[in-house]
Amino acid sequence: MTRRKEDTRTSPAALREWMKYPVLFFIGGAAYYGVELLFRGYSHPTMFALGGLCFLLCGMVNEHLSWEMPFVLQQAIGALLITALELAFGVVLNRILGLNIWDYSDLPLNFLGQICLPFTAAWFLLAAVAIFLDDYLRHWLWHEEMPHYRFL
């Protein structure tokens, strides 16, 4: 009798790897939704999706670029990615669909009331948290490389 080879697409390791991005998306979405509840007292369900997507992208910065990239540059890239997604979601949700989830029109250096410089600075700080959390979750849950950073 011949032994059947294990299907590598359904092995426990393959399933755990396949679940990585949905799990990270869920964690990022839940975390951002919680941040909004903490600071604004309310949120909108679409912010879960925006937060999850932002978390994934911030986490992918040092997955696709070098670990040797200075951490502040990773943060800056993360802040720009978040700002770009915020603009895209804002135009669709707020301007086209009229959901009025947020409006930065009263803040300085805003564009269409959907993005502004003060929040881009906030995303710079939040990107640091997202990068650290993503890297350590990948290490703890998926046994990826231990995070290490170059700060300057």
Side-chain angles (χ1 to χ4, degrees):
M1 211 172 196
T2 61
R3 209 171 174 182
R4 278 180 39 187
K5 285 187 177 181
E6 183 178 341
D7 186 352
T8 56
R9 293 171 295 162
T10 59
S11 71
L15 290 175
R16 190 173 62 240
E17 185 68 23
W18 182 84
M19 289 300 299
K20 180 190 317 182
Y21 294 107
V23 167
L24 290 171
F25 178 88
F26 181 83
I27 290 169
Y32 184 72
Y33 196 85
V35 166
E36 280 219 318
L37 289 176
L38 185 66
F39 286 96
R40 292 175 70 190
Y42 64 95
S43 190
H44 190 272
T46 56
M47 296 302 94
F48 184 94
L50 178 57
L53 192 53
C54 289
F55 186 73
L56 283 177
L57 290 177
C58 283
M60 288 182 182
V61 170
N62 63 16
E63 296 300 313
H64 295 284
L65 301 172
S66 171
W67 279 98
E68 300 308 313
M69 175 189 304
F71 191 76
V72 294
L73 183 54
Q74 291 181 48
Q75 282 181 266
I77 292 169
L80 292 175
L81 289 169
I82 294 168
T83 300
L85 283 171
E86 185 179 40
L87 177 61
F89 271 63
V91 166
V92 172
L93 298 172
N94 297 326
R95 308 278 295 192
I96 295 172
L97 297 176
L99 296 178
N100 299 318
I101 300 168
W102 71 89
D103 183 358
Y104 299 149
S105 295
D106 294 337
L107 294 175
L109 302 169
N110 77 80
F111 180 71
L112 300 174
Q114 303 310 300
I115 58 173
C116 66
L117 191 57
F119 271 86
T120 298
W123 304 148
F124 179 81
L125 299 174
L126 197 58
V129 175
I131 293 164
F132 277 124
L133 183 57
D134 173 85
D135 290 342
Y136 278 95
L137 285 170
R138 287 169 180 266
H139 176 67
W140 294 325
L141 300 176
W142 291 280
H143 310 292
E144 292 185 8
E145 183 179 359
M146 177 66 142
H148 57 280
Y149 304 101
R150 189 175 136 223
F151 291 97
L152 298 176

